[in-house]
Amino acid sequence: MTMRSRLFPARLVYPVVACCALQLGVAHAAINEFKVKDIRVEGLRRTEAGTVFSYLPVRVGDTFNDEVAVKAIRSLYATGFFDDVKISAKDDVLIVTVVERPAIASVDFNGTKEFDKDTLKNALKGIGISESKIFDRSLLDKAEQELKKQYLARGKYGAQVQTEVKPLPRNRVAITFNVEEGETASIKQLKIIGAKTFKTQDLLDEFQLGTHTWTSWYTKNDQYSRQKLSGDLERLRSFYLNRGYADFSIENTQVQISPNKQDVYITISIKEGDKFKFGKVQLSGDMLDRQKELESLLTIKPGETFNGEQLSDSTKAIQDDLGNYGYAFANANVIPDIDRDTHEVNINIVVDPGKRVYVRRMNIGGNTRTKDEVIRREFRQFESAWYDARKIQLSKERVDKLDYFKDVKVDTQPVPGTSDQVDVNFEVEEKPTGNLLLGAGISSTDALILSAAIQQQNLFGTGKTVGLELNTSKVNRTISFNETDPYFTIDGVSRSFNIYDRQTDASQLNLGNYKIGTTGAGVSFGFPITEYERLSFGTSYEGTNLSVDATSPARYQNYVQQFGNSTYAILLNAGYQLDTRDSAIAPTRGHLRRLSADLATPLGQQEFLKTTYQEQVYFPLSKKYTLALNGEITSGFGFGGKPYPIFRNVYAGGIGSVRGYRASSLGPVDADGVPTGGAKRLIGNAEFYFPLPGLKKDRTFRAFTFLDAGNVYQSNEKISLGQLRYSTGFGISWTSPVGPLKFSLGFPLNTKPTDDIQRIQFTIGTGF
């Protein structure tokens, strides 16, 4: 028995296929129904035959008829694997003949400058266009629209996309998207209608978007983005809510684009409403017998101006506090009652702690290189313990501070089938931790600096750090090797050792014609006291060589005559550090305290004690402004009948101490007027940071004003505040790709005739 060689071509629309099947069924199929003895699939190249069988609604031994044929064609065509499907039969053998759709061999882009190709490829993956996937021509329109959408987000409204599909051998295709990006549309007008209480410019200062300014090349603030506008509208809403306008609303937002698609006009209509105060403030719900503790977390008080941010902070503080006791999914829901007659907002915060839960697993993902134990030893939340939000946040901070990862994300998921267990999932994204750095820098003190460094912060994923550094300038030349094991013991005791050779040419600093060479090696151990405090102890050897001639300062010639050109010291080192800063490079809050002591023991030729104490405090005056205070005092003296070594003297003046005075120029001078430095130093700095006009909240590029004070004193002098030199001025701080950069213009306030003034100073890589 033989059926038609082509019963139902799949390219027919389904209703037509069904109709044809019924007509043919009357003529033949109703008479020629048969039991399937075997099924054969023809035309396959990539697709497995088993895949086809899994979609067929018929098996060997089943009765085949027109209705089954329609179902089979529909099912196979719906897979998206095939361009055509034909079904025929011969001697009760069902023959399925398919024409496979081609596979995508490559996806490429021409003319793309705004995006890197990987970003665009990832955008197309979501709609089914990517390498190795089955090619579906109907998706090309969606792909083009998706690419245009990406460009619209960058303000390129004139972007055009054309697609080229090139057939390749073995039933494959290469897809190329040819893009004409066009010019970026810029915001020509940003207008707010309805503002009565506040100046329009004050409101626009809250926006990321804006019209073109001199900093637009850096901030891109004049490039329209729907996402940025949404964020700006939220900031505008918060601005009013935080100042008492509880009825504030945004009535309408219009975005118009010029016919040439180059200019954008934004108009925002608002309704301010009346100003409100907080009325009654109360907590209700299940407070777990901790009502007084939760009430103490409220920062809102009756009679105060309504403030949405304070209200949000209060509810978050309650939720976080409950999270510290195991209530991972606690809620503090605000129920406001607006009384427009009295202009008060009564607040009822309903507390719902939910069920107390404990952590079943602490999972780690994304670490393709770093060993699990390197991450896990930073955890402060333990498995099988009650959920503690503080410990989880602290764990995240500690993992982030390792500086091995681009990003660290934490997600808490309920365990299926239970109501009192959660899994805490840490997802990290590795970043390169091995660096080969070749660079050049310049400062007003050291002039040209050439540097090279090889450093691996996470050797073989173990968390150990090794490094080799070369640094050269007219003043200082250094070569050093260091190794640090942050977990030399399992309880967090670190071990570090280093070997170094330093050469200093004092003539380049106008300190006299002499050179100091220092070679040393040391080992130290660090002991954690708390999460933010550490003690360190170590020992080191340091040999010093003084090169002098007849033109060198007399004090150096005398030292060489008394002790020789070369001396050495056996040092004991001790230190303490407290660091709660939110950033080591551009901090805005927190505290840094350092105390160190170097004792040269009688085992060497030098005998002295040098101590340094430093305090830094950062006060966030607002989201834009930061006040930073720094104080440092250093004192050294010799013992055992030996003087304090003159080559260990400290200096002041310049960036890092007192700006406006030439580097290392303050303090005592010799008979030739050359600064000698001293065994004691007192430094004080105050800096007020604020955003540059047009850069707003960019922490990497900030301006500052400063007030400095400081001086150095000889070992036999008492520190006298009356001898302090003062200066003030302003500058710019930039976290550049090559390190923190500071530029300052200083104005000394109480100069003496012997002082050496240098108003403009700059450097890369220093703090205060």
Side-chain angles (χ1 to χ4, degrees), residues 207-465:
F207 282 35
Q208 285 189 1
L209 295 177
T211 54
H212 185 80
T213 65
W214 68 276
T215 59
S216 293
W217 64 271
Y218 177 76
T219 63
K220 311 295 184 185
N221 68 306
D222 62 338
Q223 294 184 6
Y224 171 74
S225 165
R226 186 180 303 170
Q227 291 80 3
K228 286 184 179 180
L229 180 58
S230 297
D232 286 342
L233 294 179
E234 285 304 312
R235 278 184 281 275
L236 178 61
R237 184 176 286 105
S238 297
F239 181 90
Y240 273 94
L241 291 178
N242 295 341
R243 288 160 177 78
Y245 294 86
D247 265 350
F248 171 81
S249 63
I250 297 175
E251 300 291 295
N252 188 26
T253 302
Q254 292 183 348
V255 179
Q256 296 178 320
I257 303 172
S258 63
N260 63 1
K261 298 184 178 180
Q262 297 299 307
D263 301 329
V264 178
Y265 300 84
I266 303 174
T267 303
I268 303 168
S269 299
I270 65 173
K271 181 180 179 182
E272 292 183 333
D274 296 327
K275 192 172 183 178
F276 288 80
K277 295 182 178 180
F278 283 115
K280 295 179 181 179
V281 179
Q282 64 177 2
L283 292 179
S284 61
D286 184 2
M287 287 172 276
L288 305 173
D289 297 325
R290 299 175 56 248
Q291 183 170 351
K292 289 185 178 180
E293 181 178 338
L294 297 181
E295 286 178 345
S296 68
L297 300 174
L298 297 177
T299 60
I300 57 176
K301 306 295 180 184
E304 293 182 347
T305 300
F306 179 86
N307 189 302
E309 185 176 9
Q310 287 185 356
L311 181 58
S312 178
D313 290 344
S314 295
T315 58
K316 185 177 184 303
I318 291 173
Q319 292 172 176
D320 290 346
D321 185 74
L322 293 173
N324 298 335
Y325 295 94
Y327 298 93
F329 306 108
N331 285 312
N333 300 310
V334 177
I335 301 178
D337 179 16
I338 300 178
D339 190 334
R340 290 179 175 79
D341 294 332
T342 61
H343 290 87
E344 290 183 340
V345 181
N346 300 314
I347 300 296
N348 179 21
I349 301 176
V350 182
V351 179
D352 178 16
K355 194 167 186 177
R356 195 179 189 192
V357 299
Y358 64 90
V359 175
R360 183 187 69 164
R361 296 281 186 272
M362 297 282 290
N363 300 316
I364 303 172
N367 53 321
T368 56
R369 185 168 177 273
T370 305
K371 295 180 179 180
D372 270 14
E373 65 173 330
V374 174
I375 302 173
R376 196 169 292 278
R377 66 194 182 190
E378 303 298 330
F379 289 170
R380 294 302 179 261
Q381 170 71 59
F382 299 116
E383 296 178 343
S384 301
W386 290 116
Y387 176 96
D388 191 326
R390 283 175 302 190
K391 292 181 178 179
I392 292 174
Q393 179 61 27
L394 181 58
S395 300
K396 180 180 182 298
E397 291 175 359
R398 292 183 64 90
V399 173
D400 200 16
K401 285 183 178 180
L402 289 175
D403 201 28
Y404 303 158
F405 311 108
K406 291 181 181 179
D407 192 21
V408 180
K409 296 179 180 178
V410 181
D411 183 35
T412 301
Q413 293 290 340
V415 176
T418 68
S419 59
D420 62 350
Q421 297 181 49
V422 295
D423 287 338
V424 179
N425 304 315
F426 278 74
E427 187 69 24
V428 299
E429 183 181 354
E430 299 266 15
K431 73 176 183 179
T433 55
N435 297 311
L436 171 60
L437 301 176
L438 300 174
I442 191 168
S443 79
S444 54
T445 300
D446 285 348
L448 180 64
I449 303 169
L450 300 176
S451 63
I454 300 174
Q455 184 164 339
Q456 175 56 260
Q457 290 181 302
N458 188 16
L459 185 65
F460 306 126
T462 63
K464 296 181 180 180
T465 298

Side-chain angles (χ1 to χ4, degrees), residues 497-516:
F497 73 83
N498 67 323
I499 303 172
Y500 57 89
D501 181 79
R502 301 189 184 101
Q503 303 291 328
T504 301
D505 186 351
S507 64
Q508 299 295 328
L509 288 172
N510 299 317
L511 299 179
N513 188 25
Y514 65 92
K515 295 181 180 180
I516 302 175

